[in-house]
């Protein structure tokens, strides 16, 4: 009978919830890269500082999710980049290294000529780093996706502004000569990159230094790519941190 099934389902949900609560640490042992925030409603937010090409960032994400058993995991991705969550490392490595005419056509069709070209140039930067480190980008997002799937009643949110919007706003903010200068710099990127360089990117002072250099050369680019997305991500985190009804 339906009533009996409902009671069975309720009991199963209760058991799952109790399992989750037992695993959730009251005083979690978190990595140094994690910042803990409290909302006005009494909810907790754990912001994990990561680098996109870092094995230690993957471990930080896994450790944090296991310790806090979250209700929602928010990642810095949008629906246009969601495919990287389910691809295996080998496929992603191949994809990241290959910049071809077909990809360029697709980028232009999706974002327009200038934004499409800019996207391809940034993909070239990603391919350069991939080549140097032998590591596919976004490993921490894939780990977050896998770990969130192991936590009962855990939702997974894409928290970043759609990438075509960011590209279009970034291109519109640059003058003609700024576009040429930026494209030139990205085209001829050849500096060697080590795993130590990537790990340094997680240090606040180095990030601030890099941002300061970026502001100096392309202040409008910083506004559209960094400042605006910070506001968007903050809003998405606030939405995710609202109180939710238990199932």
């Amino acid at each position: 009978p339906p009533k009996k099934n409902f009671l069975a389902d309720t009991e199963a949900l209760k058991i799952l919830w109790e399992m989750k609560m037992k695993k959730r640490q009251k005083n979690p042992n978190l990595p140094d890269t994690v910042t803990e925030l409290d909302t006005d409603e009494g909810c907790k937010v754990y912001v994990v500082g990561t680098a996109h090409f870092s094995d230690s960032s993957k471990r930080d994400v896994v450790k944090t999710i296991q310790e806090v058993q979250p209700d929602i995991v928010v990642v810095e991705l949008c629906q246009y980049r969601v495919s990287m969550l389910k691809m295996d490392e080998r496929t992603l490595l191949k994809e990241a290294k290959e910049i071809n005419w077909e990809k360029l056509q697709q980028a232009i069709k999706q974002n327009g000529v200038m934004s499409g070209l800019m996207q391809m140039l940034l993909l070239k930067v990603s391919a350069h780093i991939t080549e140097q480190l032998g590591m596919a980008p976004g490993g921490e997002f894939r780990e977050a996706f896998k770990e969130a799937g192991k936590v009962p009643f855990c939702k997974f949110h894409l928290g970043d502004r759609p990438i075509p919007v960011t590209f279009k706003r970034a291109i519109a903010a640059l003058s003609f000569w700024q576009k040429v200068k930026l494209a030139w710099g990205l085209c001829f990127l050849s500096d060697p990159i080590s795993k130590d360089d990537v790990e340094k990117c997680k240090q606040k002072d180095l990030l601030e230094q890099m941002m300061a250099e970026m502001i100096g050369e392309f202040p409008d680019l910083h506004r559209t790519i960094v400042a605006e997305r910070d506001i968007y991500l903050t809003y998405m985190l606030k939405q995710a941190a609202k109180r939710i009804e238990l199932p």
Side-chain angles (χ1 to χ4, degrees), residues 94 144 162 188 211 234:
K94 190 181 173 189
F188 295 97
M211 289 302 168
T234 303

Side-chain angles (χ1 to χ4, degrees), residues 25 38 77 96 122 144 149 164 168 191 193 208 211 224 227 233 241 244:
Q25 302 297 315
D38 292 294
L77 281 177
L122 290 172
K168 282 172 185 171
D191 294 343
I193 297 162
E208 285 176 354
M211 289 302 168
T224 53
L233 280 158
I244 57 168

Side-chain angles (χ1 to χ4, degrees), residues 200-219:
K200 284 176 189 171
C201 287
K202 292 189 289 185
Q203 296 171 16
K204 191 179 176 185
D205 55 348
L206 184 77
L207 275 177
E208 285 176 354
Q209 182 187 326
M210 287 167 66
M211 289 302 168
E213 289 172 9
M214 193 178 177
I215 291 166
E217 287 207 43
F218 306 103

Side-chain angles (χ1 to χ4, degrees), residues 51-62:
H52 295 322
F53 293 86
S54 167
D55 281 327
S56 67
S57 283
K58 294 182 195 177
R59 291 192 293 271
D60 288 352
V61 167
V62 171

Side-chain angles (χ1 to χ4, degrees), residues 61-98:
V61 167
V62 171
K63 172 82 169 167
T64 303
I65 292 174
Q66 287 175 350
E67 288 279 315
V68 306
Q69 293 290 296
D71 299 316
I72 297 179
V73 170
V74 181
V75 291
E76 191 185 350
L77 281 177
C78 67
Q79 66 266 37
Y80 293 92
R81 290 168 288 159
V82 76
S83 60
M84 72 159 58
L85 291 175
K86 293 185 178 181
M87 279 187 184
D88 62 90
E89 289 286 318
R90 189 178 295 175
T91 307
L92 270 165
L93 268 171
K94 190 181 173 189
E95 283 280 314
K97 286 178 183 177
E98 286 181 1

Side-chain angles (χ1 to χ4, degrees), residues 1-240:
K3 190 176 180 183
K4 193 173 181 182
N5 287 341
F6 174 74
L7 287 171
D9 289 346
T10 305
E11 196 60 34
L13 289 172
K14 187 181 174 186
I15 291 166
L16 275 173
W17 185 259
E18 284 172 356
M19 280 172 54
K20 174 172 173 163
M21 289 300 104
K22 277 182 184 174
K23 284 186 179 180
R24 181 179 283 178
Q25 302 297 315
K26 287 184 180 177
N27 298 302
N29 179 22
L30 299 171
D32 295 337
T33 52
V34 178
T35 301
E36 188 179 328
L37 305 170
D38 292 294
T39 71
D40 295 336
E41 290 182 311
C43 298
K44 285 193 178 293
V45 177
Y46 299 90
V47 182
V48 189
T50 66
H52 295 322
F53 293 86
S54 167
D55 281 327
S56 67
S57 283
K58 294 182 195 177
R59 291 192 293 271
D60 288 352
V61 167
V62 171
K63 172 82 169 167
T64 303
I65 292 174
Q66 287 175 350
E67 288 279 315
V68 306
Q69 293 290 296
D71 299 316
I72 297 179
V73 170
V74 181
V75 291
E76 191 185 350
L77 281 177
C78 67
Q79 66 266 37
Y80 293 92
R81 290 168 288 159
V82 76
S83 60
M84 72 159 58
L85 291 175
K86 293 185 178 181
M87 279 187 184
D88 62 90
E89 289 286 318
R90 189 178 295 175
T91 307
L92 270 165
L93 268 171
K94 190 181 173 189
E95 283 280 314
K97 286 178 183 177
E98 286 181 1
I99 307 294
N100 53 37
W101 174 245
E102 192 181 321
K103 277 188 181 178
L104 178 59
Q105 282 183 310
Q106 190 181 347
I108 290 172
K109 187 179 177 181
Q110 191 179 68
N111 303 310
V113 177
M114 285 306 298
S115 294
L117 286 170
M118 186 59 66
Q119 184 177 346
M120 291 310 294
L121 287 170
L122 290 172
L123 278 174
K124 184 181 181 295
V125 175
S126 181
H128 171 66
I129 300 170
T130 299
E131 193 78 53
Q132 295 269 314
L133 301 177
M135 189 185 298
E140 77 274 33
F141 300 142
R142 286 187 292 284
E143 290 298 325
F145 185 62
K146 280 190 277 187
E147 284 303 314
K150 298 174 188 176
V151 179
F153 312 116
C154 182
K155 295 179 180 179
F156 192 84
H157 282 200
L158 303 173
D160 203 1
R161 181 171 69 182
I163 199 77
V165 176
T166 296
F167 278 131
K168 282 172 185 171
R169 289 188 61 75
I171 292 298
L174 295 175
S175 69
F176 174 76
W177 288 113
Q178 281 179 319
K179 288 171 189 171
V180 170
K181 188 178 178 183
L182 182 65
W184 181 268
L186 292 172
C187 273
F188 295 97
L189 182 80
S190 59
D191 294 343
I193 297 162
S194 69
K195 290 191 177 183
D196 286 340
D197 293 330
V198 173
E199 293 305 314
K200 284 176 189 171
C201 287
K202 292 189 289 185
Q203 296 171 16
K204 191 179 176 185
D205 55 348
L206 184 77
L207 275 177
E208 285 176 354
Q209 182 187 326
M210 287 167 66
M211 289 302 168
E213 289 172 9
M214 193 178 177
I215 291 166
E217 287 207 43
F218 306 103
D220 293 319
L221 201 62
H222 176 272
R223 174 175 55 78
T224 53
I225 290 179
V226 180
E228 287 181 1
R229 282 174 62 233
D230 279 352
I231 294 167
Y232 192 101
L233 280 158
T234 303
Y235 174 78
M236 294 301 276
L237 282 175
K238 280 187 172 181
Q239 291 296 103

